[in-house]
Amino acid sequence: EYDPAVTRRFHVYWAWLGRVVSEGDYALALEQLSDALPVAIAAVDRSGHVIVWNRSMALRGPAKEEALGRALLDVLPSMRDDRNLDWEADLRRVLEERATVERPRHPMGDRVVRVTLAPLEGPEATGPVLGAVLAIEDITERVRAEERRLLRVRSDAVEDLGAGIAHEVRNPLNALSLN
């Protein structure tokens, strides 16, 4: 089960990095942190261009070398072409308003993902937003397992109902056959 506290701790750690390392080392530290995580992570600068692209993200999109420096939504056409959400507007909200966008269960291609888009803040919480971070966790197997479980529960309920109806129909028939 998803724990929102994990996302908060991740953002706190990122903000902490901005306070303790130099600007040049900041990007390297972000990259090392993101590569250590099991979720797909991309970070963009204030203009929406990719500055961090971890290994997990490279498995679902282009290679890191192809992604760096390009606009996030150009690199992830599944988000750009999403008919359900306006990811460009969400990214703008994160960069301009410091909003955090969370989509706990969102279809993306043939997968179901949990998406978090959050601001990357500098050492001063009131200072300018440095960029945004996108975290994508593939929850497809978890969702499918839950759907299978619900199907089993429904199937069991229908089976119980059928057994109850058969019992109620058999009782009067048995009484008639005895006479």
Side-chain angles (χ1 to χ4, degrees):
E1 189 60 28
Y2 172 68
D3 181 3
V6 172
T7 301
R8 283 192 299 277
R9 283 193 301 267
F10 181 70
H11 294 296
V12 166
Y13 182 71
W14 242 335
W16 175 80
L17 272 178
R19 290 186 194 101
V20 297
V21 298
S22 68
E23 190 174 322
D25 293 335
Y26 185 71
L28 179 63
L30 283 177
E31 195 155 338
Q32 289 172 343
L33 171 64
S34 70
D35 275 341
L37 296 170
V39 297
I41 301 285
V44 298
D45 59 18
R46 285 192 49 75
S47 64
H49 291 88
V50 176
I51 57 172
V52 173
W53 193 260
N54 78 345
R55 290 182 192 122
S56 296
M57 190 63 90
L59 294 175
R60 69 171 33 262
K64 178 169 141 181
E65 296 75 25
E66 294 175 43
L68 292 176
R70 292 180 54 202
L72 179 66
L73 297 178
D74 289 344
V75 180
L76 290 173
S78 59
M79 291 179 79
R80 181 192 61 220
D81 301 337
D82 190 335
R83 295 172 191 232
N84 299 314
L85 296 171
D86 185 351
W87 289 104
E88 187 174 352
D90 285 344
L91 181 58
R92 239 185 349 268
R93 274 188 39 232
V94 169
L95 292 171
E96 295 170 4
E97 302 169 19
R98 291 181 166 356
T100 296
V101 175
E102 294 192 46
R103 308 283 184 226
R105 187 174 170 158
H106 184 71
M108 190 172 281
D110 63 339
R111 313 300 291 171
V112 179
V113 295
R114 177 187 335 283
V115 180
T116 302
L117 189 56
L120 277 177
E121 297 178 343
E124 299 295 322
T126 58
V129 171
L130 301 175
V133 62
L134 171 70
I136 301 174
E137 179 185 5
D138 189 339
I139 59 170
T140 306
E141 294 310 315
R142 208 174 316 154
V143 167
R144 289 183 181 156
E146 178 64 14
E147 288 170 351
R148 285 191 300 271
R149 187 190 70 76
L150 288 173
L151 187 60
R152 272 194 313 273
V153 167
R154 284 189 212 124
S155 177
D156 290 347
V158 169
E159 194 175 291
D160 290 346
L161 178 64
I165 290 172
H167 174 75
E168 293 301 322
V169 168
R170 266 195 317 264
N171 277 347
L173 291 177
N174 285 339
L176 288 175
S177 67
L178 290 175
N179 292 332

